[in-house]
Structures are given as structure tokens and as C-alpha cells.
Amino acid sequence: MGVFASTDDPGSTGHEQVVFCQDKQTGLRAIIGIHSTALGPALGGTRFYPYASEEAALADVLDLSRGMAYKNALAGLDHGGGKAVIWGDPDKVKSEALLRAYGRFVESLGGRYYTACDVGTYVADMDVVARETRYVTGRSVEHGGAGDSSVLTAWGVFQGMRAAAEHVWGAPTLRGRRVGVAGLGKVGKHLTGHLLDDGAEVVATDVSPRALDWARSTYPQVTLVSDAAALVAADIDVYAPCALGGALDDDTVPALRAKVVAGAANNQLAHPGIDKLLAERGILYAPDYVVNAGGVIQVADEIEGFNFDRAKLRATRIYDTTREILQLADAEGVPPAVAADRLAERRMAEVGRLRMIHLR
């Protein structure tokens, strides 16, 4: 089958388990990170990306799986945090055999980790992975799944953005506001539609010419700018990073003109000090793992038998969770990211402790 290496002592990161997977014949090189199973089996997507090195892939899976633990906790799910990365260019190495080999590694964990889609993987890929493992969600409707999770991811980001707008401007709407969307991928497209329906003006950018062509034909009223730097420097009220992580760094934040940051990208803060820098500049940051939880809510719902209305209702509650976090941050005099972490850690500790009560 291939090489399987697992460590239950992944160092100072706090992870329960990190698994290295390799199958030379298919070209599979993957890492599965399980940060916590305090609330239940770990749940998180599989990212397929051409990392510069194994060290870069490992760093990403550790960050992403930790973020999933906190995201799942605040979303009210009975799931811990996990994530996986497949190291390689999906356009060159992705194949049925590789995905099925990966599925067998997931199956070998016995349900400690449920996988789903992420950057570089799609619903059709999960259907292939599922031919080798029971522990996969985010599947196609034809195979009993919920389909594309970007639908509820975008809906949840929109709800979090509404809560942030209310906190800053007094009303839970983006009407009359100028919102900058960085990334017109699966989530950014849906988010743009919600914003326009709400009466917002949208400015956007993407590295893909195809995405820009889509915007021109679908929403000609959207203003397109050349790149993310131009978007950051634009006269916008809200900045919505919806591509890869690290969008908020030491160069971006000083140039940012928006009063609110709320977007779909994971790990938006380039380092822990960025949240304080945002606060010092009077920019309200809606923590990414709070507002972008709609997708994981959808795939978690699928595990118990998907019901779209139920899942959308749960994703709509991201508005309430974001409001609670922003109010807690004000009350305790801390950045919203710190307040969110405290709420997540409280739930993981209080609910996770119940597993110490042994059942016979």
C-alpha cells in the first residue's frame, strides 16, 4: 500500500496525532493532523497544494487543524479539529488511484478523523475517496451528500459580516457600504451575490482571469481591481479575504482603509500580533474561524443525514456567535480573536471533560 508514519507526540503544538502518508506508485504524499478529539471525531477538509517543501506542508496542516478545533467548537459541533494536506500540484498528480490511496489512510484511523473538501479538492474527489473510507463527508447529492459546501460557507461569512457591521455602524446590514472581496473562487462568488442583494457596493479581485471574466459577465456592477494590494488600498468599508491565508500581515494592515475585516479565508492573521495591530488602527476583525464555519456546519450535518434547511439555520446562527464574541471582546478589553479563543477553549474544556465520565 505505501508508507504510513504516525506520531502521538507532535511536539509543542498541542496536537493529539500527526500522520504522514506516502504511496510511491500513485505519487501520494499526505499529512493528516488531528489537533483535538475532545468534542468528538476530528473533522476538517483535505487541501491539495504544491507546497515548496514538506516543512511548509506540515506547518500548514498543523495551523489548519488547530483552527478547525476552535472553529468546530464555536460552531457548536460535536467534532474536534483535524485537517489534511496532500503535497503536490492537483492539476498534474491528482488521479483516481491517488485519491483512493489517500482514502485508505483515512480509513486506517478508524473514525478519529472525517475528511471533506478544501482548496484543490472538490465534491467529485470526495466521492472517489469515499470508495475506500466511511469517514468522508462533503459528497455529491448523487451519492447522498450535501454537495458544494461553499454555499453555506458564504452564507455564514455574510452573517458574521452583518454582526460586525452592526457592531461598528449600528445596523446589521451592508447596505450602502463598500465591500472589498479578495478572491472570487467558490465562496467569493456566493458572497458577492449576498452582498449585492443586501445593497452593498462590491469591489473585487482574483488572480484567475477566468474568475474575473465570470465577475464581468455575471455581476457587471462589481468594480474589479488589479490585485490584492490595490484592493487593500481602495476606499472600502469592509475587507473580505476569501483566498488563501496570511492576508493580514505587517504590510497589509497599515495600508488597509476598511473599518471591518470579515472574510472566508482560513488563518488570515499572518502572526499572533496582527490582531493587536488591527485593534490599534481601529479596525474590527471578525475572527475567520468564526465567520467561515458555514461549510463545516454543512458537512457535519451531512454525517447525520443532510437537511439543508437545518444546516442553513445553524449557519445563520453565526450572526449570534459573532455578536457574542464582539461584545465579550469589548467587555474584557481584548481583541475579538482572543475573545473567540476563550469561548472555544471554554467549550472544549467543559464539554470535553464529560468524556471522563465512563459509560458501561
Side-chain angles (χ1 to χ4, degrees):
M1 166 65 198
V3 178
F4 175 97
S6 176
T7 174
D8 296 315
D9 182 23
S12 60
T13 62
H15 286 68
E16 292 182 12
Q17 189 176 15
V18 178
V19 181
F20 292 78
C21 316
Q22 183 177 0
D23 182 63
K24 292 184 178 179
Q25 285 187 305
T26 62
L28 174 69
R29 293 180 296 176
I31 309 173
I32 300 171
I34 298 175
H35 183 269
S36 171
T37 56
L39 296 176
L43 170 63
T46 296
R47 177 165 295 188
F48 207 137
Y49 190 75
Y51 295 96
S53 65
E54 184 177 85
E55 290 75 17
L58 177 60
D60 203 28
V61 78
L62 293 178
D63 286 344
L64 292 168
S65 54
R66 181 184 182 276
M68 289 305 303
Y70 283 68
K71 178 188 291 188
N72 292 342
L74 284 176
L77 302 177
D78 292 330
H79 285 283
K83 203 79 172 186
V85 299
I86 298 176
W87 177 17
D89 185 339
D91 291 334
K92 296 179 180 178
V93 302
K94 186 191 293 185
S95 67
E96 176 189 348
L98 182 147
L99 292 171
R100 292 182 70 158
Y102 170 65
R104 292 188 69 81
F105 282 115
V106 173
E107 180 69 19
S108 72
L109 294 174
R112 282 177 52 78
Y113 168 65
Y114 278 81
T115 195
C117 302
D118 196 71
V119 174
T121 59
Y122 301 88
V123 169
D125 297 327
M126 293 304 107
D127 284 342
V128 176
V129 171
R131 294 170 73 175
E132 300 293 340
T133 181
R134 296 162 285 176
Y135 307 113
V136 58
T137 182
R139 299 192 61 194
S140 67
V141 175
E142 293 81 0
H143 287 88
D148 185 5
S149 65
S150 65
V151 174
L152 288 189
T153 300
W155 180 248
V157 171
F158 177 60
Q159 297 305 318
M161 197 181 289
R162 289 179 59 240
E166 181 182 36
H167 199 81
V168 173
W169 296 298
T173 179
L174 282 304
R175 180 172 297 278
R177 304 295 170 188
R178 204 161 189 245
V179 182
V181 179
L184 292 170
K186 293 184 287 185
V187 178
K189 291 177 179 178
H190 293 298
L191 178 61
T192 296
H194 295 316
L195 291 168
L196 293 172
D197 288 344
D198 195 38
E201 180 183 352
V202 176
V203 186
T205 191
D206 196 285
V207 297
S208 167
R210 183 181 301 176
L212 297 177
D213 288 342
W214 170 89
R216 292 187 186 99
S217 62
T218 309
Y219 295 119
Q221 66 269 48
V222 170
T223 301
L224 299 176
V225 296
S226 58
D227 54 28
L231 185 65
V232 166
D235 184 15
I236 54 176
D237 299 301
V238 181
Y239 178 49
C242 294
L244 294 176
L248 300 168
D249 57 26
D250 293 310
D251 296 322
T252 300
V253 174
L256 190 61
R257 299 176 67 180
K259 289 298 182 184
V260 170
V261 174
N266 289 310
N267 298 325
Q268 293 172 23
L269 305 182
H271 60 77
I274 293 294
D275 57 346
K276 295 180 181 178
L277 184 58
L278 287 165
E280 289 170 359
R281 293 212 56 230
I283 300 171
L284 181 69
Y285 169 62
D288 50 52
Y289 70 77
V290 178
V291 303
N292 69 10
V296 76
I297 289 171
Q298 176 171 322
V299 297
D301 193 273
E302 182 180 316
I303 293 172
E304 59 179 291
F306 183 64
N307 180 289
F308 182 82
D309 291 337
R310 178 180 62 200
K312 186 175 182 180
L313 179 61
R314 289 173 174 171
T316 303
R317 293 177 187 144
I318 290 173
Y319 169 82
D320 300 308
T321 304
T322 306
R323 285 189 73 210
E324 180 182 3
I325 288 166
L326 297 179
Q327 291 168 359
L328 178 64
D330 283 353
E332 298 190 355
V334 297
V338 174
D341 283 355
R342 289 177 181 177
L343 279 180
E345 289 163 0
R346 183 185 307 166
R347 182 168 185 257
M348 285 189 278
E350 292 178 352
V351 178
R353 183 196 64 79
L354 300 178
R355 293 181 180 272
M356 299 295 292
I357 302 174
H358 295 290
L359 304 177
R360 299 186 64 180

